[in-house]
């Protein structure tokens, strides 16, 4: 698999997570359970953002693929791999901050309020998934073949 195929696979996986988050939130946002409503709102917002990131990431990758398709040089692929790996590691670090922010929200505003506790749990859930997603793809990028 080359870097362009890897990027396509990565963005498609993020689209799936985005869709699952939005579907879950749509089914539960009107729940009588206040905690679940807070969780659903976070899943919707993060799902929409993840979907936008996947959409624009796929478009950017497709453009780059077309630009270098003629040359298909190992240098272009190596440069793209380094750039993507850096982005994934930075995102992995940010994901830890999201999780900690969700924990903070649950312990402060959510201590007495189930809606805010649901928001905190939603942030933890989304940040946790993104941590695993970004970490897995950053590590997996080592196995990408450079032409």
């Amino acid at each position: 698999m080359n870097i362009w195929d890897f990027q396509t696979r990565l963005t498609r996986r993020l689209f799936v997570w985005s869709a699952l988050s939005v579907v879950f939130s749509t089914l539960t946002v009107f729940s009588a359970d206040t905690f679940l409503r807070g969780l659903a709102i976070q899943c919707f917002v993060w799902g929409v953002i993840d979907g936008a990131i996947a959409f624009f990431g796929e478009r950017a990758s497709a453009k780059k693929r077309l630009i270098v398709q003629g040359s298909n040089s190992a240098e272009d692929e190596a440069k793209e791999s380094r750039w993507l790996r850096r982005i994934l590691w930075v995102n992995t670090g940010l994901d830890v901050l999201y999780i900690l922010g969700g924990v903070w929200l649950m312990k402060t505003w959510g201590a007495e309020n189930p809606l805010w506790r649901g928001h905190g749990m939603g942030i933890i859930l989304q940040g946790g998934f993104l941590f695993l997603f970004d970490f897995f793809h950053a590590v997996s990028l080592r196995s990408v073949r450079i032409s």
Side-chain angles (χ1 to χ4, degrees):
M1 168 183 340
N2 64 31
I3 185 61
W4 316 112
D5 296 334
F6 183 87
Q7 286 180 332
T8 297
R9 183 176 288 177
L10 183 147
T11 55
R12 287 183 181 162
R13 288 174 178 166
L14 190 56
F15 267 129
V16 169
W17 175 253
S18 168
L20 290 172
S21 294
V22 170
V23 167
F24 168 79
S25 67
T26 303
L27 296 174
T28 57
V29 74
F30 299 110
S31 170
D33 185 324
T34 310
F35 172 85
L36 198 54
R37 212 174 10 211
L39 178 69
I41 291 167
Q42 287 300 317
C43 287
F44 180 80
V45 170
W46 286 73
V48 168
I49 292 168
D50 290 342
I53 290 169
F55 175 76
F56 289 112
E58 176 61 28
R59 285 184 51 163
S61 178
K63 281 182 186 179
K64 288 179 187 177
R65 183 190 296 241
L66 286 175
I67 290 169
V68 299
Q69 193 169 28
S71 69
N72 201 19
S73 76
E75 184 180 322
D76 290 331
E77 286 192 50
K79 182 179 173 185
E80 189 69 15
S81 290
R82 284 190 304 273
W83 177 84
L84 182 58
R85 186 177 295 113
R86 187 175 308 125
I87 293 294
L88 289 168
W89 283 121
V90 167
N91 284 348
T92 301
L94 291 172
D95 299 334
V96 171
L97 295 177
Y98 302 147
I99 294 165
L100 293 173
V103 169
W104 178 85
L105 191 58
M106 287 185 75
K107 295 208 177 277
T108 56
W109 294 356
E112 303 284 327
N113 186 319
L115 179 67
W116 284 108
R117 203 165 30 257
H119 281 291
M121 182 54 73
I123 294 169
I124 292 168
L125 174 70
Q126 294 291 325
F129 169 80
L130 291 173
F131 174 83
L132 295 173
F133 181 87
D134 292 330
F135 182 83
F136 171 78
H137 287 98
V139 171
S140 298
L141 197 50
R142 289 186 204 155
S143 65
V144 171
R145 172 184 51 81
I146 305 295
S147 303

